[in-house]
Amino acid sequence: MNFDPRFSGRKFASVGTRPIRPDGIDKVTGRARYGADFNMAGQLVGRILRSPHAHAKILKIDTSKAEKLAGVKAVITAADLPDLTDGDAAMYDVLDNCMARSKALYDGHAVAAVAAVDASTARQALKLIQVAYELLPHVTDVDEAMKHTAPLINDTIFTEGLEEKPVKPSNVTKRSQFGHGDVHQGFGHADFIVERSFKTEQTHQGYIEPHACVANVSSDGTADLWVCTQGHFVYRQHCAQLLGLEASKLRVTSSEIGGGFGGKTHVWAEPVALALSRKAGRPVKLVMTRDEVFRASGPTSATSIDVKIGARKDGTITAAEATLRYSSGPYAGTWAEIGAMTAFACYKLDNVKTVGYEVLVNRPKTAAYRAPSAPMAAFAVESAVDELAKELGMDPVEFRIKNAAQEGTRSSYGPVYGPIGIGPTLEAAKTHPHMKAPLGKNQGRGMACGFWFNFGGQTCTDLNIGMDGSVSLAVGTVDVGGSRASLSLVAAEELGIAYEQVKAVVADTSSLGYNDMTDGSRGTFSSSMATISAARNAIKILRDRAAQMWDIPVDDVVWENGHAIAKGEKYGNLAALSLKEIAAASGKTGGPIAGHSELVADGAGVSFATHICDIEVDPETGAARVIRYTVIQDAGKAVHPTYVEGQYQGGAAQGIGWALNEEYIYGKDGRLQNAGFLDYRIPVCSDLPMIDTQILEIPNPNHPYGVRGVGETSIVPPLAAIANAMSNAAGVRMTHIPMSPPRVLAAIEAEREGRA
Amino acid sequence: MVEVTLWGALGQLAGGKSKVEVEAKDIRELFRKLAEQYPGIEPWIEKGIAVAIDGTIYRDTWSKELPKGAEIFLLPRLAGG
């Protein structure tokens, strides 16, 4: 790679405009093809049998009756997905999660699967599979799971990260620690200290489209997978490894995606569909029901967090400390570690310490959820920060501005910050009209900040120029939020042509080099860098072809505004050649014109946001409604501002649902009680106000256009912003998310009765 | 010679040190020499370690140069959503 990613400060013609997205018409007319919309001749219907028990030994699985049922073409168990992970513990966990081996580890854990000629036969076959279980004691609560008396979920787990190697197994898989300075000394200098414990319940990403795929394994060892995913190249790697296929012989095509938010970064049913197809010798379509999505695909962690923050009378924070316990399902994770890194990242702290504990529970395997782990940590920290501001008698925005991290600040997770945007988002909040708007009865206003890292990663892009001068852009990052429009704008910008001349597609795994998935807010950041690089490579060829057409040296040809121009007075009579003219002549100047790029897009800038929220609380029922909401976030550079705003609004909407309603509710039997959208209530349009947005553009020095990721940070502040608004509206400090009506009402009544 | 700060778990594998000095011109050489000096770190490098150079986090660009006097900070390689 010979590509300079540094910010150039150029002026833009296309970037920053708001054209209609190229996938829009298909989506609103129902023509877009999602995971379940693909069909193959002779395809079978796949269905999965799931454990009804939270924790149980699998003594025996008898599939004989199911196999004899007319119309059943394959029945599989873990025996059909043997362990090929070669000591890779993380992949072994993925395999075990796809199909339980010796134990069912949560309600909904897959234990067997069938492929049949139709859905009715497949469902009937599942009922004929007999599984003998030996029930084991279970634990679903993160705090309970940490107790020495808790049932052990995996007796081979010994806590990592302790100074002394433990002698007994534990549900705590890992301890991590971050910080600097001396918090004990720092608290000694504090005039005010706030110390609180918080809990957040487990939530699901809540994507509208369930997991769906069609798998076809041929007898010659080749295979196809059509699937709804955030990363088809990663799915290819994982499926190939788990099934013993050669990656190059497994072609994975990503469908349109009806939401992912981290939940589609992980294989769940795809290896099962491939294994069924391999056994049946026919294509298999496998679509999860909503019940299965909730019970068996990745929710976020449930957490329990203790926070302590001290400040001097002048408002300077002297020390901050947090202990964070995050559930990871029945498999090891690093979710508390991320929470520990992000918790205090907004602040300039001389003394800070965070400790994270990863905790096994009998719940589904935790998956990433939009800025994973950061919203819960921010809820705890920003609630305590707000309370401390109140104790100090300071305005909460001023208190945060006084303590905000800035360029040169040592971050709470270690390194010193470069140019960052927390200060500007707070200053924008301070002057935003929302902060001065009047409030009515039972209404309150809250605000909070949030941080997310943002990532880059491996990226490969092709840009092909047709003989008619139209441009096709093939990218390998799945479009989850409008990136095809953004990347078309970037190609148009570089080539100096109209947006409408560019058509971006997401290419399959056999058509491009490897791409990391669309996670970590990397889609537009990474693929725009690769698109810029590919376009510049194409321009080199366009200049060369123009030079041939003019019969002059290529060094005398420059590219400006979509045209090759012969520079110098001696070429004064040569009219500029448009891209279209050069493309039309390409057959006689060397053949097709294309630009390719493969690179690692690194140096994604960290991102900050400040949110302002007004809520109204009904003191008789505890029901709360968000009546006004404002998101202020640094985008670096908004390539397509409408879709940046959409990301801001989407993150806020999900955060509002998480804050007020959403939670996994488990019974004493360890079974999920609300595996459907009727009982697990995500916000719909009528629940939400128009979410106002303000885009700040503080350029990322490590991207030619200054782009930062924007997809995740917007979900970090809402839990705390709403909790702080609740505190101001109802006079109760809520320490348990979600702030559902019964919880709020209980807190209001306790406050009234002086029990708080 | 660059000074490299290790996060907690990695420091334990380097004999309890939170900072180590390594003669390295880029991330690739840094990882190679760290693995030579502290073999316990090698599996972590295989799994993925991010390197913050003056605050900018690099996860995969092993060719990235380590400027003299830069702050080099090793971090866990994190997942996004």
Side-chain angles (χ1 to χ4, degrees), chain A residues 419-605:
Chain A
I420 54 171
I422 179 66
T425 66
L426 282 163
E427 294 289 348
K430 186 178 160 185
T431 56
H432 197 285
H434 185 163
M435 290 303 279
K436 296 179 187 67
L439 288 165
K441 192 181 173 190
N442 297 323
Q443 295 178 354
R445 176 168 300 139
M447 52 80 56
C449 300
F451 161 90
W452 182 244
F453 291 101
N454 296 333
F455 300 121
Q458 297 182 64
T459 314
C460 186
T461 295
D462 270 342
L463 185 148
N464 292 291
I465 299 174
M467 290 176 73
D468 62 354
S470 62
V471 174
S472 64
L473 182 66
V475 301
T477 44
V478 172
D479 179 357
V480 300
S483 62
R484 276 168 292 187
S486 302
L487 299 173
S488 297
L489 283 171
V490 169
E493 184 74 49
E494 285 296 320
L495 293 170
I497 59 175
Y499 165 81
E500 291 75 18
Q501 260 178 273
V502 184
K503 172 74 175 171
V505 298
V506 179
D508 66 55
T509 58
S510 295
S511 306
L512 270 183
Y514 176 83
N515 280 263
D516 283 333
M517 61 181 105
T518 304
D519 71 344
S521 301
R522 72 173 289 271
T524 297
F525 168 77
S526 300
S527 277
S528 67
M529 210 184 277
T531 299
I532 292 168
S533 171
R536 290 178 184 177
N537 289 334
I539 287 170
K540 283 181 199 161
I541 296 170
L542 287 163
R543 285 174 50 232
D544 178 68
R545 301 298 176 85
Q548 286 186 49
M549 290 165 75
W550 283 321
D551 199 18
I552 66 174
V554 69
D555 288 345
D556 289 349
V557 181
V558 294
W559 190 259
E560 286 177 5
N561 299 321
H563 292 76
I565 294 168
K567 65 178 182 186
E569 289 183 8
K570 60 184 172 181
Y571 302 126
N573 291 331
L574 289 177
L577 284 169
S578 69
L579 180 143
K580 201 170 180 177
E581 288 169 314
I582 300 168
S586 61
K588 297 179 180 63
T589 58
I593 300 173
H596 177 78
S597 173
E598 70 282 322
L599 50 75
V600 170
D602 242 332

Side-chain angles (χ1 to χ4, degrees), chain A residues 161-162 230 261-262 337-338 341 368 372 410 413-416 452-453 455-457 519-520 600 602-603 702 712, chain B residues 7-9 12 19 44 47 52 54-62 64 71 73 75-81:
Chain A
L162 299 179
Q230 287 176 247
F261 316 111
E337 185 171 62
I338 304 174
M341 293 176 77
R410 177 162 303 289
Y413 57 88
V416 170
W452 182 244
F453 291 101
F455 300 121
D519 71 344
V600 170
D602 242 332
N702 302 303
E712 295 174 283
Chain B
W7 85 91
Q12 286 178 8
K19 290 179 189 291
W44 289 71
K47 278 196 286 185
D54 287 334
T56 301
I57 298 172
Y58 296 88
R59 300 200 307 172
D60 298 301
T61 312
W62 284 24
K64 188 72 188 171
E71 185 200 55
F73 218 106
L75 295 168
R77 186 187 168 94
L78 303 177

Side-chain angles (χ1 to χ4, degrees), chain A residues 22 89 106 109 116 138 142 253 325 353 360 371 405 458 551 580 688:
Chain A
Y106 57 91
H109 199 165
H138 64 270
V142 64
T253 305
R325 298 165 286 269
K353 178 183 175 186
L360 301 185
Q458 297 182 64
D551 199 18
K580 201 170 180 177
L688 298 170

Side-chain angles (χ1 to χ4, degrees), chain A residues 361-377:
Chain A
V361 292
N362 292 113
R363 294 183 180 221
K365 187 178 192 296
T366 295
Y369 179 14
R370 206 167 190 165
S373 303
M376 306 83 126

